[in-house]
Amino acid sequence: MTSATLPAFPASARDESAIRSAYGYLRVPADVPDHEMLCLEQALIAFAQSEGLSFAGFFFEFRSGSRAGFNELIAELRRVGARHVVVPSLRHLAVNSLLQNAMQDRLAIDAGAEVLAMWPDR
């Protein structure tokens, strides 16, 4: 069994308010109406708050296969020291479960963050 050492984070990372912050990550298919996305965003904010987290903002992917928003999310998590990412389901990370696991591992290793899925079984 191997263990990973989490990277050092700036002093602000130890601030409790930053640690209890959460960012949302969503894939946005082109055919989903804006009002449906707004409802999903509001539900995700409420979910984060129900978990005792302070919602900080969203990161989106608009193109299939893109990881630009995901990379920006990791940079922001590291910058502020936040430790939580909320998603509607793990399918917003990726459809494939192996890729979902790899992306969760990257969040944990690169930013010390965990993923909370509003609907874990979807």
Side-chain angles (χ1 to χ4, degrees):
M1 178 178 202
T2 62
S3 65
T5 302
L6 292 178
F9 294 98
S12 65
R14 292 183 288 275
D15 179 54
E16 182 63 27
S17 64
I19 292 171
R20 297 302 306 163
S21 293
Y23 285 88
Y25 179 76
L26 295 161
R27 291 203 163 272
V28 184
D31 62 342
V32 175
D34 290 345
H35 70 277
E36 286 184 24
M37 284 307 301
L38 180 58
C39 288
L40 187 55
E41 290 171 16
Q42 291 170 340
L44 209 51
I45 291 168
F47 170 69
Q49 292 170 341
S50 75
E51 294 291 319
L53 302 170
S54 172
F55 192 81
F58 285 102
F59 287 83
F60 299 95
E61 297 293 357
F62 295 100
R63 292 182 327 179
S64 180
S66 175
R67 295 284 177 260
F70 186 75
N71 293 333
E72 291 171 7
L73 169 62
I74 289 175
E76 180 67 5
L77 291 167
R78 289 181 57 93
R79 186 183 74 75
V80 301
R83 297 287 190 263
H84 300 89
V85 176
V86 292
V87 295
S89 71
L90 294 179
R91 291 179 64 86
H92 278 261
L93 295 177
V95 175
N96 179 286
S97 62
L98 293 175
L99 187 52
Q100 290 171 3
N101 292 339
M103 292 176 76
Q104 289 181 86
D105 288 347
R106 182 162 176 228
L107 284 163
I109 292 166
D110 290 357
E114 69 173 317
V115 176
L116 301 172
M118 186 166 56
W119 301 305
D121 297 331
R122 286 192 187 176

